[in-house]
Amino acid sequence: MRYEAPGTTKEAAALLEKEKGSVHVLAGGTDLIVRMRLGLVEPDLIVDIKHIPTMQAITASASGTRIGAAVCNARLGENKALKKAWPGVVEAANLIGSDQVQSRSTIAGNLCNASPAADSVPALIAAGAKAIVVSKNKRRTVAVEKIVSGPGQTSLARGEVVEAITLPKRPARSGDAYLRLTPRTEMDIAVVGAGVSLTLERGVVKTARVALGAVAPTAILVPAAARAIIGTKLDDAALDKLAAACSAKCDPITDKRGTIEYRTKVAGVLGKRAAKIAFQRAGGVL
Amino acid sequence: MGHDSTYTNQKFKVVGTRVNRPDGVDKVTGRAKYGADAYAPGQLVGLFLRSPHAHAKIKKIDVSKAEKLDGVKAIITSADLPDLTGDDRDLTDILENCMARGRALYDGHAVAAVAAIDMQTAKKALKLIKISYQKLPHVTDVDQAMEPGAPIIHDFVRDRKTGKPSNVCKISQFGHGDVEAGFAEADVIIEKTFKTEQTHQGYIEPHACLANISSDNTGELWVTTQGHFGFRSTCAELLGMDVAKLKVTSSEIGGGFGGKTHVWIEPIALALSRKANRPVKVVMSRDEVFRASGPTSATSIDVKIGAKKDGTITGATADLRYTNGAFPGFWAMLGSMISFACYDIKHVKSIGYDVIVNRPKVAAYRAPSAPMPAFAIESVMDLIAAELKMKPIELRIKNAAKEGTRASYGPTYGPIGIGPTLDAAKNHPHMRARLKKNQGRGVACGFWFNFGGQTCVDLNIGIDGSVNLIVGTVDVGGSRASLALIAAEELGIPYEQVRANVGDTASLGHNDMTDGSRGTFSSGMATIFAARNAITVLRERAAKTWDIPLESVIWKEGAARATGKGNSNRPPLSLKELAASAPNTGGPIAGHNEVVADNAGVSFASHICDVEVDPETGVTKVIRYTVIQDAGKAVHPDYVEGQLQGGAAQGIGWALNEEYVYGDDGCLQNPGFLDYRIPVCSDLPFIDTQILEIPNPDHPYGIRGVGETSIVPPLAAIGNAVSNAVGVRMNHTPMSPIRILKAIEDSKA
Ligand SMILES: Cc1cc2nc3c(=O)[nH]c(=O)nc-3n(C[C@H](O)[C@H](O)[C@H](O)COP(=O)(O)OP(=O)(O)OC[C@H]3O[C@@H](n4cnc5c(N)ncnc54)[C@H](O)[C@@H]3O)c2cc1C
């Protein structure tokens, strides 16, 4: 096994392109190294992206915030501006594991690991986040919900690496939130996750995005749930419609972590609760 | 020398104080040496190959390729382990559990082991071992294993009546009176079935050892264990060695809770070392700990209790079915003994069925077998109370066993703590605290036998008068501090002048394991007697120095004092002075004691618990928890409280989220801490404790064991609290969010 720690995205892409055997990008390693220790992957080459300065930066611009792919989740929590703009995304990233895990792990890694239960992904989808994907000869911007194609599978081509995740500029009177259901309070994996981002106009929901995790092969955007609350003040009827839309979109499995029935019901419950928090963060009054 | 173990109501000076433990600094700074922290020159890495099947015939094991791999020094299969166990069936089972013999009996059962120069080579070698399996039908559920037509796991296990092969390896019955007559007297009868899933002790330190056998068939074993003497005898017997030629040293232990009273990897590590002629270190992975080291039983239990209108229980029965894993055990027998131990019941009967299934061999887990019947019985007690419109605590107080009660398992109780702990619970401010919406309170009682057993202790007085206490019971919860306190108390010296150590098997006579909550009880007794023996020697030396009769010398406040006519103005001789003059008065000064510490003194507890349940998700939060337990005498109150809190924490995990999840293939689906959910700190409230001291009449200091009872009531206390919070009776642990929400939904349907 070879280990490389390139200093630029270009070098990283070149290394990924050249390797003929099994190659893996290493960000925080909190998924990859666990899988290696379990013997599930045996890389020929590991490309560590943590030494690439552009991947270690959080930069704000007129169009929004760019989070480098190697920025650890703890740093998201320490970034006051980001926390103020996208509290739902930051709270999702700061649910991952423990302080120790957050001081290594990244949202890009959380995304590319492609677990249906990844915590930051529904929050990112709700926020309308995009991934900047780079290969030797190409750079493309992809909506986050297009990256994961199935459990453990992404749409990234061989040789591609995510350089950064971008969040749009926070519109006025908007808010987002993420909630997850875990049997334990910490160090656990979501049985259901729900992210909601919305914008208000005169106290009424104008735009909304609702995303769910752990209830389908990938995290999913639920447009019907958004429609259920758009144009409302989040009254009980709207919330019930949102919950029903969330439950209807669920396509979960029964496994050691939860049953189909449980996930389907609780997806609605969490969708409702996350919407209420987002609404209040946007300045709405319930 | 004979000593009287009767309680004397002695006034204590240092016993009962909260001193620092001798192992504390090393443990918090990382210097303490655990099972995996030993190194020997030339040591090899030992790894196991384990069955991926729940039940399979091993048709062939081909190790030829692995043996040829550079760096592989030894490979062991059952062919390398001749059966030396004679007609000791229990020992044969241990041998077969350590390494499958012809059949893999559960997912994770060891089938081969390798010793190689490093981890990578050992891993490669495992992959090169080719095993051809023929899968056999399996059964993991206790009720299914008892059904006619269930796959039979051992041909030698026979039905008592029909003589046909069966998975029920033992049927035990306890009780007295005529239960039918009892139920006939009852105004209300409640009957209900409960299930508890299998849990693991969840010690943070995995099993680990360093084995080193020399070519002359003598050897050493460094190991994390609750009983190095027991490990020594088991390993020596399996390997055909004399116990005196195997020195076993116990490391610091990162939790055991019963799981480290059984050997798993150790005999194989020794066999690998013998074959390779090199030291071999084996450290289990977490996956192996879950799949192949002893969990507790899963159970299925029917309880029936009848009571009169005034709350008097007239009759009670329990049918208890326990998984034993792949080998015969006695776990349901223990369960059937314990079932009704808290109560004074005229007509009572419990029957235990020990059942073999394709799961890892069950091991002791803190008050083994007791939490499950407590869950069932204490739940039915609440149902009876509700039916009679009585407060649950009053029903328990009314029926509590007391001195003179004949226990359901046979003996007649001496002074016991069930009544006092219940009274304390009734009067505790916790019982009066207001509950909010979606909150519920539960109360439950628990019992554990406690155990004494074989113990011996050396107390050596150093040349400077400091005291080295050597005990043979592994320190699992602060016992070195407690035992040093006891030695200091007897000798009349400060605690700081005593250092307690756990001796290896070459430095002391046989000691039973630290199990049955016996560490402080039994080694405490031996320490008292050893100190008294040392005091006799000290008095002799003083008498010799003063040239007066021994009878004229007393020992008081850490010094020999001359008494009687003409002696009163002799200045006392301190321990330090006597130690300094020892070379001229007869040599080193020591006290020893060997004892079978009998009458460990039964232990009772009552717990109060408040929970809040989210009715839309089924998530439970424990918001307040109080443990009230009789300790006999709390030698070191901090460590007694630690035991009460630790047991409650484990019980809360068991009640709410911990469980072995098996797939249809009979394989364990959650062998890791991610999906086997022991509580994390934020899952628990501060666990409040109240220690009662009802002296054990058969211990000089009144000590009872305190380590285990605390895990007995939590399943039931939480079960009652959750049921009260959601208005639906929970009868299956763990009460996970999924099970709770389902129960709520089903009750609406
Ligand atoms: C104890 C523990 C607790 C955890 N708790 C949670 C939790 O609560 N919630 C949760 O969602 N997850 C949890 N996880 C999983 C993990 O921590 C997260 O998924 C984390 O965000 C992964 O980030 P990472 O940087 O460590 O990824 P890595 O392990 O470095 O990478 C993960 C995968 O993504 C690929 N990858 C990484 N970066 C890129 C990139 N820039 N471009 C292309 N591919 C890339 C890697 O090759 C690998 O396949 C936990 C893990 C542990 C060990």
Side-chain angles (χ1 to χ4, degrees), chain A residues 206-218:
Chain A
K206 189 179 154 210
T207 65
R209 282 168 71 88
V210 178
L212 298 173
V215 293
T218 67

PDB file of all heavy atoms in Angstrom, chain A residues 206-218:
ATOM      1  N   LYS A 206     -42.124  30.838   2.016  1.00  0.00           N
ATOM      2  CA  LYS A 206     -42.098  31.166   0.592  1.00  0.00           C
ATOM      3  C   LYS A 206     -41.410  30.056  -0.202  1.00  0.00           C
ATOM      4  O   LYS A 206     -41.913  29.599  -1.223  1.00  0.00           O
ATOM      5  CB  LYS A 206     -41.349  32.478   0.417  1.00  0.00           C
ATOM      6  CG  LYS A 206     -41.437  33.045  -0.976  1.00  0.00           C
ATOM      7  CD  LYS A 206     -40.684  34.372  -1.026  1.00  0.00           C
ATOM      8  CE  LYS A 206     -40.195  34.654  -2.423  1.00  0.00           C
ATOM      9  NZ  LYS A 206     -38.962  35.442  -2.391  1.00  0.00           N
ATOM     10  N   THR A 207     -40.231  29.648   0.282  1.00  0.00           N
ATOM     11  CA  THR A 207     -39.564  28.516  -0.365  1.00  0.00           C
ATOM     12  C   THR A 207     -39.197  27.528   0.739  1.00  0.00           C
ATOM     13  O   THR A 207     -39.006  27.920   1.899  1.00  0.00           O
ATOM     14  CB  THR A 207     -38.258  28.931  -1.061  1.00  0.00           C
ATOM     15  OG1 THR A 207     -37.343  29.380  -0.052  1.00  0.00           O
ATOM     16  CG2 THR A 207     -38.493  30.034  -2.070  1.00  0.00           C
ATOM     17  N   ALA A 208     -39.077  26.261   0.375  1.00  0.00           N
ATOM     18  CA  ALA A 208     -38.668  25.262   1.371  1.00  0.00           C
ATOM     19  C   ALA A 208     -38.033  24.075   0.667  1.00  0.00           C
ATOM     20  O   ALA A 208     -38.341  23.783  -0.498  1.00  0.00           O
ATOM     21  CB  ALA A 208     -39.875  24.798   2.181  1.00  0.00           C
ATOM     22  N   ARG A 209     -37.119  23.457   1.378  1.00  0.00           N
ATOM     23  CA  ARG A 209     -36.550  22.178   0.920  1.00  0.00           C
ATOM     24  C   ARG A 209     -36.525  21.237   2.119  1.00  0.00           C
ATOM     25  O   ARG A 209     -36.081  21.617   3.205  1.00  0.00           O
ATOM     26  CB  ARG A 209     -35.136  22.378   0.367  1.00  0.00           C
ATOM     27  CG  ARG A 209     -35.121  22.963  -1.051  1.00  0.00           C
ATOM     28  CD  ARG A 209     -33.732  23.408  -1.444  1.00  0.00           C
ATOM     29  NE  ARG A 209     -32.793  22.308  -1.694  1.00  0.00           N
ATOM     30  CZ  ARG A 209     -32.638  21.702  -2.859  1.00  0.00           C
ATOM     31  NH1 ARG A 209     -33.379  22.050  -3.912  1.00  0.00           N
ATOM     32  NH2 ARG A 209     -31.758  20.744  -3.016  1.00  0.00           N
ATOM     33  N   VAL A 210     -37.015  20.047   1.909  1.00  0.00           N
ATOM     34  CA  VAL A 210     -37.063  19.044   2.978  1.00  0.00           C
ATOM     35  C   VAL A 210     -36.312  17.809   2.487  1.00  0.00           C
ATOM     36  O   VAL A 210     -36.564  17.332   1.383  1.00  0.00           O
ATOM     37  CB  VAL A 210     -38.521  18.666   3.329  1.00  0.00           C
ATOM     38  CG1 VAL A 210     -38.565  17.589   4.413  1.00  0.00           C
ATOM     39  CG2 VAL A 210     -39.310  19.902   3.761  1.00  0.00           C
ATOM     40  N   ALA A 211     -35.391  17.323   3.300  1.00  0.00           N
ATOM     41  CA  ALA A 211     -34.631  16.128   2.915  1.00  0.00           C
ATOM     42  C   ALA A 211     -34.609  15.142   4.062  1.00  0.00           C
ATOM     43  O   ALA A 211     -34.620  15.529   5.234  1.00  0.00           O
ATOM     44  CB  ALA A 211     -33.212  16.517   2.521  1.00  0.00           C
ATOM     45  N   LEU A 212     -34.591  13.860   3.713  1.00  0.00           N
ATOM     46  CA  LEU A 212     -34.601  12.807   4.727  1.00  0.00           C
ATOM     47  C   LEU A 212     -33.395  11.888   4.572  1.00  0.00           C
ATOM     48  O   LEU A 212     -32.932  11.649   3.453  1.00  0.00           O
ATOM     49  CB  LEU A 212     -35.878  11.957   4.601  1.00  0.00           C
ATOM     50  CG  LEU A 212     -37.208  12.680   4.812  1.00  0.00           C
ATOM     51  CD1 LEU A 212     -38.364  11.738   4.484  1.00  0.00           C
ATOM     52  CD2 LEU A 212     -37.310  13.190   6.248  1.00  0.00           C
ATOM     53  N   GLY A 213     -32.911  11.368   5.683  1.00  0.00           N
ATOM     54  CA  GLY A 213     -31.819  10.398   5.668  1.00  0.00           C
ATOM     55  C   GLY A 213     -32.245   9.099   6.323  1.00  0.00           C
ATOM     56  O   GLY A 213     -33.175   9.077   7.139  1.00  0.00           O
ATOM     57  N   ALA A 214     -31.584   8.013   5.934  1.00  0.00           N
ATOM     58  CA  ALA A 214     -31.744   6.683   6.550  1.00  0.00           C
ATOM     59  C   ALA A 214     -33.107   6.034   6.301  1.00  0.00           C
ATOM     60  O   ALA A 214     -33.456   5.055   6.940  1.00  0.00           O
ATOM     61  CB  ALA A 214     -31.463   6.725   8.056  1.00  0.00           C
ATOM     62  N   VAL A 215     -33.872   6.594   5.351  1.00  0.00           N
ATOM     63  CA  VAL A 215     -35.181   5.993   5.077  1.00  0.00           C
ATOM     64  C   VAL A 215     -35.274   5.482   3.645  1.00  0.00           C
ATOM     65  O   VAL A 215     -36.355   5.115   3.183  1.00  0.00           O
ATOM     66  CB  VAL A 215     -36.331   6.993   5.343  1.00  0.00           C
ATOM     67  CG1 VAL A 215     -36.419   7.316   6.827  1.00  0.00           C
ATOM     68  CG2 VAL A 215     -36.162   8.264   4.531  1.00  0.00           C
ATOM     69  N   ALA A 216     -34.153   5.493   2.935  1.00  0.00           N
ATOM     70  CA  ALA A 216     -34.111   5.050   1.544  1.00  0.00           C
ATOM     71  C   ALA A 216     -32.657   4.723   1.231  1.00  0.00           C
ATOM     72  O   ALA A 216     -31.773   5.014   2.039  1.00  0.00           O
ATOM     73  CB  ALA A 216     -34.636   6.161   0.629  1.00  0.00           C
ATOM     74  N   PRO A 217     -32.378   4.138   0.063  1.00  0.00           N
ATOM     75  CA  PRO A 217     -30.987   3.788  -0.259  1.00  0.00           C
ATOM     76  C   PRO A 217     -30.045   4.994  -0.234  1.00  0.00           C
ATOM     77  O   PRO A 217     -28.849   4.842   0.000  1.00  0.00           O
ATOM     78  CB  PRO A 217     -31.089   3.194  -1.664  1.00  0.00           C
ATOM     79  CG  PRO A 217     -32.494   2.703  -1.771  1.00  0.00           C
ATOM     80  CD  PRO A 217     -33.325   3.630  -0.945  1.00  0.00           C
ATOM     81  N   THR A 218     -30.564   6.180  -0.492  1.00  0.00           N
ATOM     82  CA  THR A 218     -29.754   7.400  -0.362  1.00  0.00           C
ATOM     83  C   THR A 218     -30.584   8.421   0.396  1.00  0.00           C
ATOM     84  O   THR A 218     -31.787   8.255   0.549  1.00  0.00           O
ATOM     85  CB  THR A 218     -29.424   8.010  -1.740  1.00  0.00           C
ATOM     86  OG1 THR A 218     -30.651   8.490  -2.320  1.00  0.00           O
ATOM     87  CG2 THR A 218     -28.801   7.003  -2.688  1.00  0.00           C
TER      88      THR A 218
END
